[in-house]
Amino acid sequence: MDECLRPSPLFKGQLSDLFYCWIRKKTKDGEEFLPAEPADFWKYDFSEGEYTDFVNSNYVKPKGVLTTSLRSKRAFDYGTFELRARLPEAERGPVLWFGFELDDLFAGGLSHFGYWTHNGSLRGFCGAASLKATIDLTRFLPSDHQQVKHWYKITRGREFTLWFIDGKIRGMCVSAAGASTGTVYDGIEYSLALNGDMPSRRLPVLLDIDGADQADYAWEGLNPWDLRVSDGISGAPLHLKLEDEGGVLANRPLKKETKIISGPFPAIGNVRVRAASNAQLKITLEASDDGKLWFPVAYAEGSIPSVEARSPGLIGRVIIESPESGVLTGASATVFPS
């Protein structure tokens, strides 16, 4: 049966119906985890100043507490996580973790965001205990992310994980047991990583405020109405406008004998690539398992060439060549996971 996490049940129930809660504190001999009530730390109501702008909504970490943690009682099959929130900075402040993670602190798997309040950096993480891929998403943060709520979304499939900010794909991670782990591309529109230790298929949600135990911290404006989570769709297609180091490949002047190499993208399953120009083009689909060694898969020629082939690699890229001058109208890749 499909599962979801949405705010409507809170009108008749309690926050503890949806979340477990624990805190982490220092002790004389080290640290300890203590069970807690979610309502003691996530304080909210549904009174609005404007539509969906709630007056009283704060998730807090008191001074003396290392971590306050909310974990959903439901685990999600792959999953789609969406949170609308402000991400304010705080001098010597904690880290905000939000997305999917098992309760055993990374060992069973994770696909989440991490926001460092002390310097305003945002990262995406995917993996499990032994290997975790990290993607730097800081450059994609909206300039007003501290004052205005924006959408932060993660979609998990069997083949890859995607991170969105305000509806745009900004991070991607291809998961394959034994693959090299790390970022293989930092582009203008998105970053791409490989992950060799795959997270579990079913993961619960986490909302953590972690660190800075000598300071109080309030994640202001965080309301359950801004959180939506549901089971994911494994095998859903992915469509990308191709780019290179100069940006998206659209309305790009072409000189005679131009050669363009696109940035890489996930390529597990069938891949369809297309380009369009007023000049003749040759497009070649290449595949790789590590972003270093590339090999050709298929090619096509014409003013609107199109290639569809089953990729033998984890990631792909497209080489576009033009024997004559013109304009490259656009280029795209659509991935149909197997």
Side-chain angles (χ1 to χ4, degrees), residues 1-23:
M1 184 177 69
D2 288 344
E3 293 185 335
C4 62
L5 180 64
R6 65 190 200 278
S8 296
L10 294 177
F11 284 116
K12 289 188 176 180
Q14 304 292 325
L15 197 60
S16 57
D17 294 338
L18 302 180
F19 289 94
Y20 299 110
C21 182
W22 51 262
I23 61 173

Side-chain angles (χ1 to χ4, degrees), residues 124 165 180 182 291:
I165 299 176
S180 301

Side-chain angles (χ1 to χ4, degrees), residues 226-294:
D226 294 322
L227 175 66
R228 299 174 183 86
V229 191
S230 63
D231 284 337
I233 303 174
S234 183
L238 167 67
H239 181 75
L240 287 172
K241 294 180 179 179
L242 296 177
E243 66 166 69
D244 65 1
E245 68 277 1
V248 174
L249 298 177
N251 301 316
R252 180 74 64 86
L254 297 173
K255 295 181 179 180
K256 187 177 181 180
E257 305 301 331
T258 293
K259 182 177 181 180
I260 297 171
I261 301 176
S262 80
F265 51 85
I268 298 179
N270 290 327
V271 179
R272 182 180 66 215
V273 296
R274 289 174 174 167
S277 174
N278 60 356
Q280 293 296 300
L281 300 175
K282 176 183 177 182
I283 60 171
T284 303
L285 172 64
E286 294 190 328
S288 175
D289 289 326
D290 57 8
K292 298 177 181 178
L293 178 63
W294 293 89

Side-chain angles (χ1 to χ4, degrees), residues 119-161:
N119 63 11
S121 63
L122 180 72
R123 300 170 197 167
F125 296 85
C126 183
S130 61
L131 295 170
K132 295 183 289 294
T134 303
I135 299 174
D136 189 348
L137 302 171
T138 307
R139 67 189 183 281
F140 302 122
L141 274 170
S143 60
D144 59 356
H145 68 274
Q146 297 189 61
Q147 298 82 25
V148 177
K149 288 186 175 183
H150 292 273
W151 283 105
Y152 301 89
K153 177 180 177 180
I154 300 168
T155 62
R156 298 183 58 238
R158 181 179 62 246
E159 300 82 5
F160 45 78
T161 298

Side-chain angles (χ1 to χ4, degrees), residues 10 42 73 96 104 106 119 178 189-190 194 207 220 257 261 264 306 330 334:
L10 294 177
W42 198 357
K73 291 188 173 181
L96 308 180
D104 50 0
F106 300 173
N119 63 11
E189 293 293 325
Y190 65 86
L194 295 172
L207 292 170
E220 297 180 349
E257 305 301 331
I261 301 176
S306 178
T334 305

Side-chain angles (χ1 to χ4, degrees), residues 20-136:
Y20 299 110
C21 182
W22 51 262
I23 61 173
R24 182 169 64 103
K25 299 183 71 174
K26 287 184 178 180
T27 66
K28 182 179 180 181
D29 300 320
E31 299 177 359
E32 63 180 343
F33 291 88
L34 298 173
E37 287 296 321
D40 291 340
F41 300 95
W42 198 357
K43 304 175 186 295
Y44 65 91
D45 59 41
F46 294 115
S47 300
E48 294 179 320
E50 297 178 1
Y51 182 58
T52 69
D53 182 12
F54 299 96
V55 177
N56 301 306
S57 298
N58 292 304
Y59 179 30
V60 302
K61 184 199 70 64
K63 184 177 181 179
V65 172
L66 278 166
T67 305
T68 58
S69 180
L70 291 168
R71 305 295 171 111
S72 65
K73 291 188 173 181
R74 290 178 175 177
F76 297 89
D77 192 357
Y78 297 116
T80 297
F81 171 97
E82 294 181 273
L83 180 69
R84 190 172 73 106
R86 289 187 290 269
L87 299 179
E89 295 182 24
E91 186 177 356
R92 294 188 294 276
V95 181
L96 308 180
W97 303 99
F98 48 105
F100 296 103
E101 182 185 299
L102 273 184
D103 302 344
D104 50 0
L105 305 180
F106 300 173
L110 59 105
S111 295
H112 56 37
F113 288 97
Y115 176 74
W116 276 255
T117 63
H118 76 280
N119 63 11
S121 63
L122 180 72
R123 300 170 197 167
F125 296 85
C126 183
S130 61
L131 295 170
K132 295 183 289 294
T134 303
I135 299 174
D136 189 348

